[in-house]
Amino acid sequence: MPGIMLNLPPVPLQLITLLESAGHAAYAVGGCVRDALLGQTPADWDLCTSARPEEVAAALRPHGITIHETGLQHGTVTAVIDHQPVEITTFRLDGGYTDHRRPDNVIFTDDLTADLSRRDFTVNAMAWGPCQGLADPFGGQADLQAGLLRCVGEPSRRFGEDALRILRCLRFASVLGFSIEESTSRALFDLKDSLAHVAAERIQIELTKLLCGQRARQTLLEYREVVFAVLPRLRPLSGFDQRTPWHCHDIWEHTCAAVEAAPPEPALRWAALLHDCGKPPCFFLRDGAGHFHGHAEVSETMAREILGALKCPKRMIERVAKLVRHHEMRLLEQSPAPAKLRRLLGAFGRETLLDLLELTRADVTAQAPEKLYRLENYQPLRTQIIALAAENPCVSREQLAVNGADLLPLGLRGPQLGQMLERLLEEVLEGRLPNERDALLQFLMLHA
């Protein structure tokens, strides 16, 4: 299909031109072609070629291009031009996948179609060259236009080769907003238990991308049993009737709605996914209504354990755990008084307080329709927090215009110093005293 034109950046275009000048076929391939056809800017460009790795090096090194042998056993080298790396892989056929991750061996080939036949989904099994145009032997462009994810060949074989493709399929459905073709969908459920063979880090990466997708809610709902295969501690949320007027959904439905209502940022989406995971063990009935006292603390503990098992970075775990722990603050119940807002700013800092506000907004959005009136407080409160933070108000003892040394001449020692500083901070937070040295010292003279 020579009529299809892609706007190839200079570096991959130069590499294709040099490989073709040396007598080899070369194409952009996979996700970069998919994204370009969708009108998006690819994050990176991968190339495939009929040249063997040593032939790639021989064609490019004389032109001053650095070649790193990053995956010779699978036919991959990385070419670097002006600090821009591009992976170049030889056309190949894959052997068996006994580890459910990588082929045991590969066979190099000169056949582009054979190389594309080993790829996961039709929308990722397209290649494009400046002269040849689009190579699309499996109907990837049609599936792209239809918003459909379909395995190349037999789905059970594709997922059996690399079980992570199961989560990749859900990730693409969520991120691209695509549906999943029927036989591919059946295979997802049939082979979900094979995800036990996949490393935790790889699962975490795919789940994070899934959670941040535009279609996260529908994907999590429709493929909940696949998600529970890797997050089994969330299974009790499904079908759990909350028995409360605040909710019109079961816990899993509420959770999925909250995920999609949160900003598409990893920590916030993970916090939305895990904020109510501790509800089932905390449930009790009183006067016919469901209650979940203490569930935020239980959810925090579970969130730490779940994210730890997925090998999430410690910084991410701490951020998510803090949001989960404090998601019950009910920030949108009413506009807080200035003193309370200063206390919250001192306790959490600007960014965490804004994150908590976003999580609260997502939580409320996913509740019963008659409770949505509280969302009216969201924008005014957000504006108030940003304005207050910009004033850099005194919200901690360290920011007071006096310190412990100023209290020593008054005869205060030991715990008395800390108690008096706390009292000064209280007066400042409540707005009864300005954070000015003379005013604070005058207060000390009268009350020390």
Side-chain angles (χ1 to χ4, degrees):
M1 297 183 185
I4 300 291
M5 294 298 296
L6 299 185
N7 186 21
L8 224 64
V11 169
L13 182 59
Q14 179 184 354
L15 293 171
I16 289 175
T17 301
L18 290 174
L19 287 168
E20 289 180 336
S21 298
H24 309 293
Y27 298 81
V29 70
C32 59
V33 176
R34 177 200 70 224
D35 291 346
L37 289 174
L38 286 171
Q40 302 171 0
T41 301
D44 48 47
W45 289 83
D46 295 330
L47 307 184
C48 63
T49 178
S50 60
R52 303 311 191 249
E54 64 276 9
E55 293 174 324
V56 172
L60 301 182
R61 277 179 173 147
H63 299 275
I65 297 171
T66 301
I67 299 294
H68 297 293
E69 298 175 347
T70 47
L72 283 182
Q73 70 273 30
H74 298 109
T76 300
V77 299
T78 299
V80 182
I81 301 177
D82 296 331
H83 306 290
Q84 297 183 48
V86 176
E87 281 196 355
I88 305 174
T89 301
T90 302
F91 300 160
R92 76 184 198 209
L93 294 168
D94 292 343
Y97 285 73
T98 55
D99 67 353
H100 298 275
R101 181 183 179 186
R102 296 185 182 280
D104 299 332
N105 62 287
V106 301
I107 300 170
F108 296 144
T109 177
D110 295 324
D111 186 349
L112 172 63
T113 298
D115 179 78
L116 295 176
S117 72
R118 69 181 175 81
R119 296 175 184 267
D120 50 9
F121 308 109
T122 60
V123 297
N124 294 334
M126 295 181 284
W128 185 87
C131 298
Q132 304 88 340
L134 184 69
D136 180 19
F138 304 105
Q141 188 182 19
D143 284 342
L144 207 60
Q145 293 171 345
L148 193 66
L149 287 168
R150 182 197 311 270
C151 280
V152 176
E154 177 56 42
S156 60
R157 178 178 178 182
R158 292 285 85 86
F159 294 141
E161 290 168 343
D162 183 355
L164 188 67
R165 287 172 173 168
I166 295 170
L167 288 184
R168 279 171 57 82
C169 188
L170 298 190
R171 184 249 288 188
F172 286 131
S174 175
V175 171
L176 299 175
F178 282 14
S179 300
I180 300 175
E181 180 269 333
E182 185 177 352
S183 63
T184 300
S185 180
R186 285 198 303 271
L188 290 172
F189 289 104
D190 292 343
L191 296 173
K192 65 182 184 301
D193 291 340
S194 63
L195 284 164
H197 299 288
V198 180
E201 294 91 340
R202 300 180 79 209
I203 288 173
Q204 179 262 123
I205 290 170
E206 294 300 327
L207 285 177
T208 298
K209 292 177 180 178
L210 186 166
L211 290 175
C212 292
Q214 59 175 305
R215 198 168 177 257
R217 178 182 186 178
Q218 187 170 343
T219 304
L220 291 169
L221 286 172
E222 189 172 350
Y223 293 93
R224 67 183 72 190
E225 288 304 320
V226 180
V227 174
F228 295 156
V230 291
L231 296 174
R233 298 186 70 180
L234 300 189
R235 182 175 276 109
L237 307 187
S238 182
F240 197 107
D241 185 355
Q242 304 195 62
R243 307 276 294 273
T244 167
W246 292 93
H247 290 280
C248 57
H249 304 297
D250 71 31
I251 303 177
W252 182 245
E253 292 166 343
H254 164 75
T255 292
C256 296
V259 167
E260 195 158 276
E265 193 277 326
L268 284 168
R269 289 280 172 110
W270 271 109
L273 182 73
L274 300 175
H275 77 285
D276 278 350
C277 65
K279 272 190 168 181
C282 295
F283 176 76
F284 67 94
L285 282 173
R286 186 174 64 206
D287 299 327
H291 297 273
F292 303 92
H293 292 171
H295 84 271
E297 291 80 2
V298 175
S299 295
E300 179 202 7
T301 298
M302 291 177 63
R304 289 183 181 277
E305 293 168 353
I306 290 168
L307 296 177
L310 290 173
K311 310 297 183 185
C312 278
K314 289 183 178 179
R315 197 171 184 178
M316 169 78 83
I317 294 174
E318 290 303 318
R319 186 178 172 196
V320 172
K322 191 169 189 177
L323 294 175
V324 170
R325 173 63 178 265
H326 296 285
H327 81 272
E328 279 279 278
M329 286 201 313
R330 303 185 185 279
L331 285 173
L332 295 179
E333 293 304 309
Q334 58 185 6
S335 297
K340 181 178 180 181
L341 201 54
R342 286 192 289 268
R343 292 179 193 280
L344 290 173
L345 196 60
F348 296 105
R350 178 185 185 275
E351 297 309 315
T352 299
L353 186 55
L354 288 173
D355 282 349
L356 281 167
L357 180 62
E358 294 294 346
L359 182 57
T360 300
R361 182 189 59 79
D363 193 7
V364 170
T365 300
Q367 292 176 3
E370 57 269 24
K371 305 298 182 181
L372 299 186
Y373 66 89
R374 292 171 295 162
L375 294 175
E376 297 174 0
N377 292 327
Y378 164 74
Q379 192 58 55
L381 181 54
R382 187 175 188 277
T383 301
Q384 194 178 355
I385 291 171
I386 293 172
L388 180 62
E391 296 173 4
N392 193 27
C394 174
V395 294
S396 68
R397 282 168 44 173
E398 290 71 26
Q399 292 176 289
L400 286 170
V402 296
N403 56 37
D406 297 307
L407 276 61
L408 292 176
L410 301 176
L412 298 176
R413 297 291 185 274
Q416 293 177 319
L417 287 174
Q419 292 168 3
M420 182 54 73
L421 288 172
E422 284 297 328
R423 186 173 178 185
L424 287 174
L425 178 60
E426 178 74 13
E427 295 296 317
V428 171
L429 288 173
E430 287 295 331
R432 293 189 290 263
L433 271 180
N435 185 32
E436 298 172 358
R437 181 177 174 81
D438 289 344
L440 297 180
L441 289 174
Q442 185 176 2
F443 180 89
L444 286 171
M445 295 294 295
L446 294 174
H447 299 88

